[in-house]
Amino acid sequence: MPSERGEAAETRVKAALILATQQFAAHPALDDDEVEEFFFIESAPRFAKLPYHRHKIVLLVSAMRHTAARLEAEGRTVRRIALSDDLAFRAGLERLLTERRVTELTWMSDPNRPVDERIAAICAAHDVETDVLPDGLFLTPEDEVDTWFAEHPTPLMEDFYRWQRRRTGILMDGGKPAGRRWNFDADNRKPLPKKGVDIPALPSAEHDDITAAVIAEVDERYPDHPGAASEFWLPVTPEDARAWLEVFVAERLADFGRYEDAMKAGEPFLFHAVISPMLNIGLLTVDEVIAAVTRTDAPLASVEGFVRQVIGWREYMRGMYRAHPKLERVNALHLEKRIEKYWYSGKRMPSDLPVPVRTVLDRVHRWGYAHHIERLMVLGNWFLLQGYAPREVNAWFLALFVDAYDWVMVPNVMGMSQYADGGFVATKPYVSGGAYLQKMGSWWPSAQDAKDSVFTDAYWAFLERHEDVFAGNHRLTLALAQMRKRRDAAGS
């Protein structure tokens, strides 16, 4: 008769780890009949590594608890490390592996470096076999996106986007793009008219007992983090996320395209979908988002502009992150300014902070969100003009935005926004003075006020400071010529 120790050694226990950013309604581990238990880890110390916006913590923790509750209701066995356990991720996983005597762990591959390697190392240390499932957050399989980037040493987003359209058949008419144009971007750069445009409100999220408990816990545990958990506003289940998407398609998609670059002081969301917080943690999938948008009769320019963001820009950023790890460390312009405390706290902002920066910063502290043009042409623009260290800027975006994770922020901030790679992701720095901001957002009382603003002064000073670096960039030829003309006039 075998000993008790021998019986334990012969027993195989396979568990599935559901990571916080993978709250899929149909997680592939659910189809594995060998999985006996599902693990969820709410790592309180992890949420304290940066001063993360409290809405981001509520979103992740509440989504995990809702997924766990759904699995339990289905008769699945769930084991959780709760915030109140106060365990780091490693310690939490080690506790679960040891207490449950796990012999094999399965999880979905995480797009952020080096999450998979760390989980595998923990498993190896505990003699646990591993089974890594393909990443389901994206449309493009990892091997295909890696091959494309390997074959394109100087990758352009437009080339990648057209490859995606051809590969998937999305918005294609045979071998031709729908509407006989790949890109309707030229139609999608309109400012809001002063009158005559009604902007629908976002859906209101009603908090159940699970979310209410998370809100109270986060406000108590992280009182010094930005935001107020009590003002949390996002869906936390796949069902509610789909309903949110349906409202966007019905009420805002038609006008999304033409006004996607517009800004307005009193309107933080305009016609944007605001689905990235849910899409980036699996509450929505790319497939269902694209299906919802492309089956409508909304103007093609709006549909194409939205599709380009999802299967073009989003997947391009993920591919850049995978193919070019160097982006995490670049600093081509040698910028070293540190981020001041007010960027995190929202308190004691300088009196001379430009109106657009102050306004967008206020809404980021409230919502943990600003739409893509405000991120790029207000916040990112100002950070770059002022010479902030790019890694400091990246850390700030990671902490303050509810949809921000390494795979998307590193190439977006270090490359596109802060030009820290010297022009690899974006061929020119995305900087402007007050004129562009005034055109797209009417931030100042008049065009002359915008021209005379500190934003415009900072723009010309930036170009002069880095004139030698930008001298060979043909996309800046006109701007540099204007800068030299201004400098010569001032010196005469």
Side-chain angles (χ1 to χ4, degrees):
M1 185 173 182
S3 66
E4 183 177 332
R5 180 182 180 88
E7 287 180 350
E10 293 172 5
T11 301
R12 296 192 58 78
V13 177
K14 185 173 185 179
L17 173 64
I18 308 297
L19 295 173
T21 53
Q22 298 171 350
Q23 302 306 303
F24 296 94
H27 193 291
L30 297 173
D31 296 328
D32 188 341
D33 292 336
E34 295 182 355
V35 172
E36 298 180 30
E37 300 186 353
F38 293 84
F39 294 167
F40 294 82
I41 300 176
E42 304 169 7
S43 175
R46 179 67 184 87
F47 291 130
K49 282 192 173 183
L50 286 174
Y52 291 106
H53 199 289
R54 281 181 257 182
H55 291 187
K56 186 173 189 174
I57 304 174
V58 173
L59 173 63
L60 290 168
V61 174
S62 184
M64 279 195 286
R65 291 187 185 178
H66 278 88
T67 302
R70 173 170 56 85
L71 295 186
E72 288 179 324
E74 294 172 357
R76 313 270 189 166
T77 301
V78 170
R79 309 291 177 184
R80 285 196 308 124
I81 298 296
L83 287 178
S84 57
D85 292 317
D86 206 25
L87 289 178
F89 180 86
R90 181 186 184 97
L93 181 55
E94 287 180 329
R95 173 188 285 185
L96 292 171
L97 294 176
T98 301
E99 290 183 351
R100 308 311 304 166
R101 298 185 178 182
V102 174
T103 57
E104 184 177 2
L105 184 73
T106 186
W107 73 93
M108 180 183 287
S109 179
D110 190 281
N112 299 297
R113 284 186 300 269
V115 175
D116 289 346
E117 290 83 355
R118 288 174 178 168
I119 297 173
I122 295 169
C123 289
H126 290 266
D127 198 24
V128 172
E129 297 176 16
T130 60
D131 175 21
V132 184
L133 303 167
D135 185 353
L137 283 175
F138 305 95
L139 189 68
T140 317
E142 292 178 355
D143 59 343
E144 292 189 39
V145 77
D146 290 346
T147 297
W148 191 91
F149 275 88
E151 293 174 349
H152 294 79
T154 54
L156 297 178
M157 207 298 259
E158 185 64 24
D159 292 340
F160 178 83
Y161 173 53
R162 294 186 185 190
W163 172 71
Q164 286 281 69
R165 295 270 296 276
R166 292 190 183 100
R167 184 182 70 82
T168 62
I170 295 170
L171 292 185
M172 296 295 291
D173 183 8
K176 301 287 186 180
R180 295 301 186 264
R181 286 167 60 185
W182 289 105
N183 191 316
F184 289 79
D185 194 39
D187 300 339
N188 294 347
R189 298 175 180 174
K190 293 180 172 58
L192 285 173
K194 293 183 179 179
K195 295 181 180 179
V197 175
D198 294 326
I199 301 170
L202 288 180
S204 58
E206 296 184 6
H207 304 321
D208 61 11
D209 291 344
I210 293 176
T211 300
V214 174
I215 286 171
E217 192 171 357
V218 169
D219 265 342
E220 180 179 1
R221 183 173 283 272
Y222 303 101
D224 297 326
H225 284 224
S230 58
E231 296 184 357
F232 181 69
W233 54 289
L234 291 164
V236 292
T237 68
E239 296 78 15
D240 287 347
R242 291 188 201 110
W244 183 283
L245 173 63
E246 289 171 3
V247 170
F248 163 69
V249 171
E251 298 182 0
R252 301 199 300 285
L253 175 60
D255 287 315
F256 166 78
R258 76 186 76 177
Y259 301 129
E260 68 174 296
D261 286 4
M263 296 173 277
K264 187 175 181 180
E267 294 286 350
F269 307 114
L270 297 175
F271 296 97
H272 290 266
V274 196
I275 61 164
S276 53
M278 290 77 80
L279 187 61
N280 289 354
I281 68 169
L283 293 177
L284 291 169
T285 67
V286 177
D287 285 335
E288 63 189 343
V289 168
I290 295 301
V293 170
T294 55
R295 64 174 174 243
T296 71
D297 58 359
L300 181 57
S302 279
V303 174
E304 186 280 319
F306 186 84
V307 166
R308 182 166 9 106
Q309 293 290 324
V310 177
I311 73 168
W313 175 85
R314 181 176 182 269
E315 305 245 341
Y316 178 75
M317 289 290 125
R318 177 255 195 148
M320 273 288 192
Y321 176 79
R322 289 180 62 85
H324 300 286
K326 65 180 182 181
L327 290 172
E328 294 185 62
R329 302 177 298 276
V330 291
N331 189 358
L333 298 180
H334 307 289
L335 307 180
E336 301 295 340
K337 186 174 180 179
R338 302 293 302 274
I339 293 278
E340 296 94 344
K341 290 182 179 179
Y342 68 81
W343 286 100
Y344 285 97
S345 69
K347 301 174 182 177
R348 299 179 182 176
M349 296 184 199
S351 58
D352 61 348
L353 200 65
V355 170
V357 178
R358 178 184 295 273
T359 303
V360 176
L361 183 55
D362 278 340
R363 66 178 52 155
V364 170
H365 279 100
R366 179 177 181 184
W367 304 103
Y369 177 88
H371 70 68
H372 69 280
I373 289 299
E374 293 176 339
R375 300 188 199 203
L376 181 65
M377 296 308 301
V378 176
L379 299 173
N381 188 2
W382 185 250
F383 278 132
L384 184 51
L385 295 181
Q386 294 299 301
Y388 285 94
R391 293 185 73 176
E392 292 252 323
V393 175
N394 187 57
W396 182 82
F397 273 100
L398 281 171
L400 268 291
F401 280 77
V402 291
D403 57 0
Y405 302 95
D406 284 341
W407 64 264
V408 64
M409 299 317 297
V410 166
N412 193 36
V413 172
M414 304 295 280
M416 190 171 184
S417 169
Q418 297 305 292
Y419 200 73
D421 60 359
F424 184 65
V425 173
T427 54
K428 74 176 183 69
Y430 279 86
V431 291
S432 78
Y436 170 81
L437 297 176
Q438 183 68 0
K439 174 187 174 183
M440 299 307 297
S442 298
W443 296 101
W444 291 272
S446 69
Q448 187 61 47
D449 289 315
K451 183 178 179 180
D452 294 339
S453 69
V454 293
F455 220 118
T456 300
D457 292 342
Y459 171 70
W460 295 121
F462 173 83
L463 291 179
E464 184 166 0
R465 200 159 55 245
H466 300 290
E467 180 179 4
D468 292 344
V469 176
F470 299 140
N473 190 318
H474 72 279
R475 298 190 67 187
L476 290 176
T477 300
L478 179 59
L480 290 173
Q482 291 173 326
M483 180 272 294
R484 294 180 186 117
K485 184 177 180 180
R486 286 171 52 90
R487 183 175 61 195
D488 293 344
S492 60

